Amino acid sequence: MTSATYPFTAVVGMADMRLGLLLNAVSPAIGGVLVRGEKGTAKSTMVRGIASLLPTIETVPGCRFSCDPAAPDPGCPDGPHEPGTGATRPSRLVELPVGASEDRLVGALDIERALADGVKSFEPGLLADAHRGILYVDEVNLLHDHLIDLLLDAAAMGSSYVEREGVSVRHAARFLLVGTMNPEEGELRPQLLDRFGLTVEVAASREPDERVEVVRRRLAYEEDPAGFAARWAEDEAELRARIAAARALLPSVVLGDGALRQIAAVCAAFEVDGMRADIVTARTATALAAWAGRTEVTTEDVRQAALLALPHRRRRNPFDAPGLDEDKLDEILDAYQPEAEGQAPDDGNGEGDGGDDDNGPDGPDGPGGGRSPDDGPPRDGGGQGSGPEQPAEQPPVPEQRADDPARPEAPETDPRQAPATGEGGEGQGVDARGAAPERPAVAAGEPFAARMLNVPGLGEGAAGRRSRARTAHGRTTGSRRPHGALGKLHLSATVRAAAPHQRARGRTGAGLLLRRDDLREAVREGREGNLVLFVVDASGSMAARQRMSAVKGAVLSLLLDAYQRRDKVGLVTFRGRGAELALPPTSSVDAAAARLEKLPTGGRTPLAAGLLSAREVLRVERLRDPSRRPLLVVVTDGRATGGSQPVAQATRAARLLAADGVASVVVDCESGMVRLGLAAQLAGELRGPAVTLEELRADSVTALVRGARAARDGGPARARHGERTPTEHGPQHRGARPGRRTDITERVA
């Protein structure tokens, strides 16, 4: 027996999400809503519940593309349709699975019939089913890039195009796009983020009474779904009637020039890109007025609309959470207060003509705000739209000295093993138990555009933008027999395979006689996303504040690059007596940035422990996702101290990683007048290149090209500022084993 849908009105709390969905039900032109929040917060339940509240629609009988009988689509594949009466049906909620194929989304053409009989046999996809309804994407941030591109095209043009080997089909695809996501699993591309009209943040309630009510209602629903739905039927009917009334009132709502100026001023002040933000905010403010039963947009409508429409559109770094500074928003609205509301525009000095205190009884913070639970989110925004809190001013803390200027970086006995009292207090701060003291975390330096590091060879991993791979999309490099369902047809290869057999098959007409064995699918080459595992040296030899700030800035730059290239990232740090997996591999690059920002330093340098920990992480990830190739980025100055034979242990660990075939890059963080080249030696054991912090910058093209050419010709990999070249140091300093040239362009494009 099919269970009833959980009633929308039975959901406890979630005022922001409730308002966002209801406003889109009143005005579908707003463009949908993106729901961001932790798992288990009833996101999917509310989306499925709102579908039952939408008004019914009229469709052309027998049309698979839901054409409106009053204005049928002239290009409908099932058309042409003559205007007339139609059949009534409920609005659809179509769910797009994360693992859906391209053909399932846009539809599929029967290639065999098209080639053999010249017939366009088209099977509609999910975009056709969602026309004039809701397209719901759960975990939208995990959707493959090529599906996101198709969604962007359909959302922008209101139609879907299917073109394959000269056969094309177009149909209307206008839908309400609703997506849910957990930000911990990664962010959305900015292009898709902008397509969502509104965004809301949701979180589970921390009030015990409210949580008890959630559990009580859920258990009652699971025990008797039909009976539970019947108890809420009256509330559902009332809400459905209110939606219909607001829809009917919407054309009569007036958006005055004063409200328009407020919208334009707010969008300009928050530096949103493009004009879509202004349009969506205006539509949302109009829908808010209709929802409240008014025919004129007020300042409070504009304020609530801005909190819903602008947080995900303002300019921000990828690791910054969406949100608006509400104090700044109120200042802008007050400055452009419409005269009809009894306040003249601000004169620029923060003082209005009325002379009243803005925080008085009737001010925006007073009890006269007129905000009801159904009108919108409270001032705290429920997590969405709240600006960052400013930390209280702290007394200045004296900066700790990490380097002794009187002590040069000179080798003692073994140049790869730093002395126990080396730079940064690596040994002198160790207590009687050998524990490493923690120095205060250093802020990251300014990030920069990083050069692309990639994995050599050709992979078959998840779609992304880093390393070369065989993918479903990209340039065609060949053909093969299909394995399972036919993917992208390689037309010329199919014709070549079928041509020799036409006479034997008795062909007499113009059509080409095809068999299943004749079909060939295209082999395409594109880009894949990788697992980028950072191994960061946080020991005392790296503890100089200026150097560690630069190192964190470099790693942050690489994290930004990983975010843009759709990689998974992980973070291993080593200091003191061992290594720590600071962040297991995840798609949430901002979580890695947060862990990096708080990273303490100090103590000895257990380089071997860091490498062995990275090897174990990669081993586990290889079992979980064997198709995703790893890229190991070791950020260190190459020193190894602590324990017995630290240098020998680090060498063995590096050779184990090289034997596993792990592609590695060493970011050389050594600084000072005297440089030992220890990071280059480590790169040689890992069979990967050593790249300095300067060479990571995208603008250092000349230096990289010079180094790559020199490496190809067997010459020095780099020579800068009078530094001895790897050739002068000997073959062990080239970043490669003797007899093997290292081509930097293999991994640094």
Side-chain angles (χ1 to χ4, degrees):
M1 180 179 67
T2 303
S3 61
T5 302
Y6 194 93
F8 184 84
T9 52
V11 177
V12 179
M14 316 295 287
D16 294 350
M17 182 176 177
R18 185 189 307 273
L19 180 64
L21 291 172
L22 289 173
L23 291 178
N24 275 276
V26 172
S27 176
I30 289 174
V33 59
L34 173 66
V35 184
R36 298 164 48 93
E38 57 194 26
K39 53 186 177 294
T41 49
K43 299 188 295 292
S44 301
T45 300
M46 292 195 71
V47 173
R48 295 186 180 102
I50 193 65
S52 62
L53 300 177
L54 296 180
T56 57
I57 62 173
E58 297 283 333
T59 61
V60 174
C63 179
R64 298 173 297 168
F65 302 89
S66 302
C67 282
D68 186 352
D73 180 11
C76 176
D78 286 353
H81 303 301
E82 294 295 332
T85 59
T88 302
R89 67 164 177 81
S91 297
R92 287 175 180 165
L93 171 69
V94 178
E95 299 190 36
L96 172 61
V98 171
S101 65
E102 178 182 343
D103 287 345
R104 184 70 187 97
L105 177 62
V106 301
L109 289 169
D110 190 334
I111 300 298
E112 294 184 58
R113 289 194 62 190
L115 289 177
D117 305 327
V119 176
K120 290 183 181 180
S121 178
F122 180 73
E123 184 67 26
L126 296 177
L127 291 180
D129 293 341
H131 180 47
R132 303 176 66 197
I134 299 176
L135 181 61
Y136 171 47
V137 189
D138 193 13
E139 304 294 348
V140 63
N141 52 325
L142 303 182
L143 204 62
H144 288 296
D145 274 358
H146 70 283
L147 297 181
I148 289 179
D149 293 337
L150 294 171
L151 275 180
L152 287 174
D153 290 341
M157 297 183 295
S159 59
S160 174
Y161 289 85
V162 182
E163 298 193 13
R164 185 171 295 177
E165 307 298 344
V167 180
S168 63
V169 173
R170 187 208 66 84
H171 64 84
R174 292 182 294 275
F175 46 81
L176 178 64
L177 183 60
V178 179
T180 58
M181 61 174 284
N182 185 349
E184 295 179 356
E185 297 175 339
E187 287 289 348
L188 274 178
R189 287 169 51 186
Q191 294 91 338
L192 183 58
L193 196 62
D194 187 53
R195 292 296 175 188
F196 288 97
L198 311 178
T199 182
V200 294
E201 297 274 349
V202 297
S205 173
R206 298 297 183 259
E207 292 295 331
D209 292 341
E210 194 167 294
R211 296 174 74 95
V212 166
E213 185 62 23
V214 170
V215 176
R216 182 182 291 117
R217 293 185 185 182
R218 186 67 197 185
L219 293 178
Y221 168 76
E222 292 176 354
E223 182 178 351
D224 183 11
F228 184 83
R231 289 195 295 272
W232 291 90
E234 184 177 349
D235 293 335
E236 293 280 288
E238 290 179 1
L239 189 58
R240 189 180 295 109
R242 184 175 177 184
I243 292 174
R247 278 195 170 192
L249 182 62
L250 186 65
S252 303
V253 176
V254 176
L255 181 64
D257 290 342
L260 273 175
R261 286 183 61 81
Q262 285 183 317
I263 292 171
V266 168
C267 293
F270 283 102
E271 298 182 342
V272 296
D273 294 325
M275 295 298 297
R276 183 175 283 113
D278 302 63
I279 297 172
V280 171
T281 305
R283 289 171 175 167
T284 306
T286 304
L288 279 164
W291 179 248
R294 289 183 271 100
T295 57
E296 186 174 353
V297 174
T298 65
T299 296
E300 185 60 27
D301 294 330
V302 175
R303 186 182 191 279
Q304 292 186 24
L307 290 175
L308 292 169
L310 300 187
H312 61 301
R313 290 188 169 92
R314 68 175 180 84
R315 291 188 179 181
R316 59 188 178 93
N317 291 327
F319 304 145
D320 294 341
L324 289 184
D325 184 343
E326 294 194 40
D327 291 335
K328 179 179 178 181
L329 174 61
D330 290 336
E331 291 177 3
I332 300 168
L333 293 176
D334 289 342
Y336 288 86
Q337 190 80 5
E339 295 183 5
E341 296 188 24
Q343 182 174 347
D346 198 336
D347 61 2
N349 297 321
E351 299 178 0
D353 293 340
D356 294 331
D357 187 355
D358 289 341
N359 292 325
D362 296 326
D365 294 332
R371 189 181 289 106
S372 67
D374 286 332
D375 284 343
R379 284 294 299 268
D380 59 11
Q384 70 89 21
S386 57
E389 295 185 2
Q390 298 297 328
E393 184 176 353
Q394 300 292 335
V397 179
E399 182 176 352
Q400 296 187 4
R401 293 188 59 188
D403 287 309
D404 185 356
R407 183 184 300 276
E409 296 187 26
E412 260 188 42
T413 311
D414 190 335
R416 293 171 294 175
Q417 180 171 338
T421 58
E423 101 171 80
E426 183 175 331
Q428 62 191 5
V430 178
D431 59 21
R433 295 174 298 173
E438 288 192 1
R439 297 178 179 272
V442 180
E446 189 69 21
F448 51 83
R451 297 296 301 177
M452 185 175 72
L453 311 177
N454 55 35
V455 180
L458 194 63
E460 294 183 350
R465 299 177 180 176
R466 184 172 296 278
S467 304
R468 294 173 53 221
R470 295 186 183 93
T471 60
H473 298 268
R475 62 186 182 89
T476 302
T477 59
S479 64
R480 65 182 178 188
R481 293 179 182 271
H483 303 290
L486 177 67
K488 295 288 186 179
L489 180 75
H490 196 295
L491 182 59
S492 60
T494 299
V495 172
R496 287 196 302 269
H501 309 291
Q502 296 303 297
R503 182 174 298 177
R505 294 173 182 173
R507 172 186 168 186
T508 57
L512 189 66
L513 296 181
L514 291 176
R515 300 290 185 268
R516 177 68 184 175
D517 291 342
D518 300 331
L519 298 178
R520 299 291 184 271
E521 66 179 2
V523 176
R524 298 174 180 268
E525 182 178 312
R527 294 280 175 177
E528 67 176 358
N530 298 113
L531 166 59
V532 182
L533 182 60
F534 294 92
V535 181
V536 180
D537 184 349
S539 65
S541 67
M542 301 282 291
R545 296 185 68 85
Q546 184 176 3
R547 186 194 307 184
M548 199 62 200
S549 177
V551 168
K552 285 187 176 183
V555 178
L556 183 62
S557 303
L558 293 172
L559 284 172
L560 285 165
D561 183 68
Y563 164 80
Q564 295 168 350
R565 302 189 187 282
R566 312 286 287 179
D567 294 317
K568 289 180 67 175
V569 297
L571 179 63
V572 173
T573 63
F574 59 93
R575 58 180 292 274
R577 286 192 169 186
E580 176 189 5
L581 179 58
L583 182 72
T586 175
S587 298
S588 180
V589 182
D590 54 346
R595 301 291 175 88
L596 177 72
E597 189 70 23
K598 300 177 182 178
L599 178 65
T601 59
R604 297 184 182 275
T605 313
L607 178 58
L611 296 177
L612 291 176
S613 178
R615 184 171 184 251
E616 177 62 18
V617 172
L618 296 179
R619 183 190 69 81
V620 174
E621 286 300 310
R622 195 177 297 116
L623 297 175
R624 293 177 178 172
D625 190 359
S627 63
R628 189 182 289 269
R629 296 188 297 165
L631 174 63
L632 185 68
V633 180
V634 185
V635 184
T636 181
D637 58 4
R639 299 189 179 203
T641 62
S644 61
Q645 299 181 335
V647 176
Q649 292 179 11
T651 300
R652 284 195 292 269
R655 289 175 180 175
L656 287 174
L657 282 165
D660 292 342
V662 177
S664 304
V665 176
V666 176
V667 179
D668 186 355
C669 303
E670 192 175 24
S671 62
M673 296 297 295
V674 179
R675 304 195 182 190
L676 306 177
L678 305 180
Q681 294 183 43
L682 176 63
E685 300 295 345
L686 289 169
R687 300 180 186 174
V691 182
T692 65
L693 292 175
E694 293 84 357
E695 290 171 341
L696 274 179
R697 294 181 177 271
D699 53 9
S700 59
V701 178
T702 304
L704 283 173
V705 172
R706 186 184 301 116
R709 288 177 177 173
R712 283 200 199 95
D713 299 337
R718 63 175 185 264
R720 34 183 192 81
H721 307 303
E723 178 186 357
R724 294 175 64 193
T725 66
T727 302
E728 293 170 330
H729 279 300
Q732 69 272 22
H733 290 279
R734 285 185 185 168
R737 291 186 174 181
R740 181 183 184 276
R741 294 202 309 258
T742 299
D743 190 350
I744 296 179
T745 57
E746 289 180 345
R747 298 173 178 83
V748 185

